[in-house]
Amino acid sequence: MVRKRLLQDFQRQLKVVRTVIDWTIIVYLVLPLVAIFMLDIWINPNQYWNEAIPFYGVSLLLLLFCSSGSIRTYLYEADLLFLLQRPDLMKRMRLYSFGLSVVKSIIHISMVILLFLPILLVIYELNVMDFILLILFLIGYKTTVLFIRKRFNHFVVSILLSFIVLVLAGVTLTYTSSSVYAVVGVVLIFITGYLFMKMDYRRHLLKDIESENDLKNRLINLIFHMSNDVEVGMRTKPMKWVRLRSRRLFKKRTEENVLLEMLIKSVIRHHKYIGAYLQIILVTLLVIIMVPSYWFVAIIYISFRAFINSWFNSVYSQLVASDFFTVVPYSHSKTIFVRKRFKKWMTFPAIVLVTLVLTAKIWL
C-alpha cells in the first residue's frame, strides 16, 4: 500500500510541475543554464568560494541545505478507523515510511554533495572515502532533524532543538575525524528510527493525516502563493508564540494611512508571509557574503531587487482580495497610491540591509 501511494504521489507532483513548466523550457533553457553554471564552477571554483573560509563554513552550508524535508506517512483520512484496529499494519507502515525517508534523504544529500562537489574536491581536497563518510553523517543529521519535526509539534521547541542539532553537527564535522562523524551518523540513523517506531501513533495519527494533506498539496499551494492571478485565503494558524500590540503606525488617520497600516500588520502577523520575507533576505545575504565572484553577486543583487518588488506586488493583490478587505469599506481609488507606499515600506528595510552588506563586502 505504501509503494502504491508513493507512486501515486510522484505522479501527482509530476502533473503539477508539467502544468507550470513545459518540457521544452526544461530541455532548451533550464538544463543548458545549469550545465553552463556547473561547468564554470568546475573551471573557476575560487570565483564562487573564498579559500579563507574554514571548513566549518561549508559544513554549516551543507547542513542547512540538507535540513529540508519531512517523514511522510502516506496516511489518508479513510485509513483512520481501519488502522486503529490493526496496530500491526500501522507498525509496518511506519517502518516503511521511515525507510522511504532515509532513501529520499540519500537522494537529496547526493544532489547537495554534487552541487558542492567542485568546492569540496578542489578547495578542501576531499577524497572518495571522505565523501562516503560525509554522506553517512549527513543522513544521520537529516533523519534527526526530521524526527524532531515529527515528534515535537510546538514550533519554538522544534526550531530550538533543530538549531542545537545544527550547531553540534557543524562542530562535529569540523573538529572530529571522518571516521568518528561517520559512526555518529550511523548511530543517529538507528536511534531516530527506534524512537520513531516507539512513538505513540494513536496520539499523532490526526496530526500525521493533517500533515500528509499539506505535503500532498505543497506544490499546488506554492504555485497559488506565487501566482498573481490566484487568490489565496488568509486563514492560517495564528502565531501564538508572538504577541504584538496593535499600536498605530501613523498619527494622521486618513483612509489611505489606515488601509496601509492594516496591510503592513497583515504581513507582519502572517507567519507564511513574514517567514518567506525573512527567507528571501537571509538567502540573499548568505550568497553575497559567501560568494567571492563580484559579477555573480551583482546578478544576485539585481535579481533580488526585481524579485522582492514583484513578490510584494503579488502579496498586496492577495491581501486586498481576502475576505477581510471585502467586508471593510474603503475607496478603491486609493489603492494605486497605497500599493506604491506598501511596496516601499516593505521592501525598504530589506534593500537597505542587503545594500549595506554588499557595500561592506566591496570595501572590506
Side-chain angles (χ1 to χ4, degrees):
M1 183 170 64
V2 177
R3 290 194 298 268
K4 182 179 179 180
R5 292 186 176 179
L6 176 64
L7 180 61
Q8 291 174 350
D9 182 74
F10 176 76
Q11 293 173 347
R12 175 188 176 87
Q13 305 301 334
L14 187 61
K15 288 180 181 179
V16 174
V17 173
R18 286 178 177 175
T19 59
V20 180
I21 304 177
D22 188 70
W23 69 270
T24 54
I25 297 177
I26 298 176
V27 173
Y28 295 108
L29 181 62
V30 177
L31 291 182
L33 288 177
V34 172
I36 293 172
F37 178 70
M38 292 300 297
L39 181 62
D40 191 50
I41 293 179
W42 274 102
I43 297 174
N44 303 304
N46 295 326
Q47 295 295 322
Y48 295 89
W49 192 262
N50 195 338
E51 294 182 356
I53 298 176
F55 187 73
Y56 184 75
V58 71
S59 64
L60 281 180
L61 204 57
L62 283 170
L63 294 170
L64 287 173
F65 270 84
C66 296
S67 299
S68 62
S70 59
I71 299 178
R72 298 286 301 272
T73 56
Y74 298 99
L75 296 177
Y76 296 161
E77 294 181 1
D79 303 328
L80 185 59
L81 181 61
F82 178 72
L83 291 176
L84 287 174
Q85 298 173 348
R86 293 288 304 275
D88 56 332
L89 181 59
M90 184 63 196
K91 187 176 181 179
R92 289 206 307 269
M93 286 191 65
R94 293 176 68 83
L95 181 61
Y96 291 153
S97 65
F98 184 80
L100 286 173
S101 299
V102 173
V103 173
K104 289 192 293 185
S105 298
I106 295 173
I107 298 173
H108 179 209
I109 291 169
S110 300
M111 294 174 64
V112 173
I113 292 294
L114 184 63
L115 177 64
F116 286 87
L117 187 60
I119 297 172
L120 296 172
L121 201 61
V122 177
I123 296 179
Y124 296 101
E125 299 179 351
L126 270 64
N127 54 41
V128 176
M129 184 56 64
D130 291 332
F131 281 111
I132 296 174
L133 299 178
L134 177 62
I135 291 174
L136 288 175
F137 178 79
L138 291 176
I139 295 171
Y141 162 78
K142 187 176 178 66
T143 54
T144 304
V145 173
L146 297 185
F147 171 76
I148 290 173
R149 293 175 185 167
K150 199 72 174 178
R151 174 62 179 82
F152 299 98
N153 297 328
H154 199 280
F155 180 81
V156 176
V157 175
S158 177
I159 291 295
L160 181 60
L161 291 176
S162 299
F163 178 75
I164 294 173
V165 172
L166 173 66
V167 174
L168 293 176
V171 173
T172 304
L173 279 177
T174 306
Y175 298 104
T176 60
S177 61
S178 57
S179 58
V180 172
Y181 60 66
V183 173
V184 173
V186 174
V187 171
L188 287 176
I189 295 173
F190 283 99
I191 290 177
T192 52
Y194 175 79
L195 294 177
F196 178 75
M197 295 301 299
K198 288 296 181 180
M199 284 175 56
D200 185 6
Y201 71 90
R202 294 181 180 87
R203 181 182 177 184
H204 298 272
L205 195 56
L206 292 176
K207 183 68 177 179
D208 289 343
I209 293 174
E210 180 184 355
S211 175
E212 187 63 30
N213 289 331
D214 293 337
L215 291 170
K216 187 169 59 176
N217 299 317
R218 63 188 184 277
L219 286 180
I220 297 176
N221 294 331
L222 178 62
I223 294 170
F224 284 174
H225 183 72
M226 299 302 295
S227 176
N228 295 331
D229 301 324
V230 181
E231 298 179 4
V232 181
M234 293 293 294
R235 294 182 180 179
T236 55
K237 296 182 180 179
M239 296 189 295
K240 298 180 180 179
W241 46 279
V242 176
R243 304 296 182 186
L244 297 174
R245 292 185 179 181
S246 183
R247 295 180 178 178
R248 293 181 177 180
L249 299 179
F250 305 100
K251 292 182 179 180
K252 190 175 181 180
R253 307 302 290 173
T254 63
E255 182 181 357
E256 183 178 328
N257 286 343
V258 172
L259 178 59
L260 177 60
E261 180 177 326
M262 287 192 296
L263 290 170
I264 293 173
K265 289 182 178 180
S266 297
V267 173
I268 295 174
R269 298 176 182 181
H270 195 291
H271 70 278
K272 288 188 177 179
Y273 286 141
I274 197 66
Y277 184 44
L278 294 176
Q279 185 178 17
I280 294 170
I281 297 173
L282 291 176
V283 170
T284 306
L285 291 177
L286 187 65
V287 173
I288 290 175
I289 294 172
M290 293 294 185
V291 177
S293 176
Y294 287 104
W295 69 267
F296 187 74
V297 170
I299 294 175
I300 294 297
Y301 179 76
I302 296 172
S303 301
F304 163 75
R305 293 286 300 267
F307 177 78
I308 199 167
N309 277 282
S310 175
W311 186 69
F312 271 112
N313 189 56
S314 173
V315 170
Y316 175 85
S317 300
Q318 294 172 13
L319 289 174
V320 174
S322 64
D323 295 336
F324 177 79
F325 288 101
T326 58
V327 176
V328 176
Y330 65 92
S331 176
H332 291 276
S333 61
K334 302 286 186 180
T335 56
I336 298 176
F337 302 101
V338 173
R339 182 190 290 266
K340 293 181 180 178
R341 291 182 60 191
F342 172 74
K343 289 195 296 183
K344 287 181 180 179
W345 270 79
M346 299 308 301
T347 59
F348 181 76
I351 292 175
V352 169
L353 179 60
V354 173
T355 304
L356 288 175
V357 173
L358 179 61
T359 305
K361 179 184 176 65
I362 294 174
W363 287 101
L364 297 177

